[in-house]
Amino acid sequence: LPVFFCYVARLALPGPSHPVSPCMLLLSGLWVAWRHRFSLPGLALGLLAVFGGAFFLAAYLLIVSLQVKGNLQALLLGNARS
C-alpha cells in the first residue's frame, strides 16, 4: 500500500501507461461508433469513448442499458441490429 501512495504522490501511476490501456480505449471507441453504424453522432460518441475513457464508457453503458431496459442483445448490437 505505501508503494501505491508513493506513485500517487509523484502522479506517476504505471497502469495507464501500459500498452493495453490505449488498445482498450480504441476498441471501446470503435465499438461505440460501430453500434451507431458509424453515423456522425456515432463517430462523435466514439471519440468521446476514446478520450473519455472509463468515465464516459460507464455513463454510456448505464444510460443505454436503461434505454434498452436490460436487453443485452440490444445493448451490445444496437437497436437496428438486434
Side-chain angles (χ1 to χ4, degrees):
L1 200 58
V3 173
F4 171 75
F5 289 115
C6 180
Y7 281 124
V8 171
R10 288 189 288 156
L11 295 174
L13 290 174
S17 63
H18 196 273
V20 174
S21 296
C23 293
M24 188 278 303
L25 292 172
L26 288 174
L27 187 60
S28 66
L30 280 172
W31 172 72
V32 170
W34 173 82
R35 188 179 180 281
H36 291 276
R37 297 179 168 247
F38 295 100
S39 63
L40 189 59
L43 292 173
L45 286 171
L47 281 174
L48 277 173
V50 170
F51 293 109
F55 293 113
F56 169 81
L57 202 57
Y60 177 80
L61 288 173
L62 177 67
I63 291 167
V64 172
S65 66
L66 292 172
Q67 288 175 347
V68 298
K69 296 178 176 59
N71 183 353
L72 190 58
Q73 186 174 6
L75 175 69
L76 294 175
L77 301 176
N79 288 331
R81 291 184 178 98
S82 62

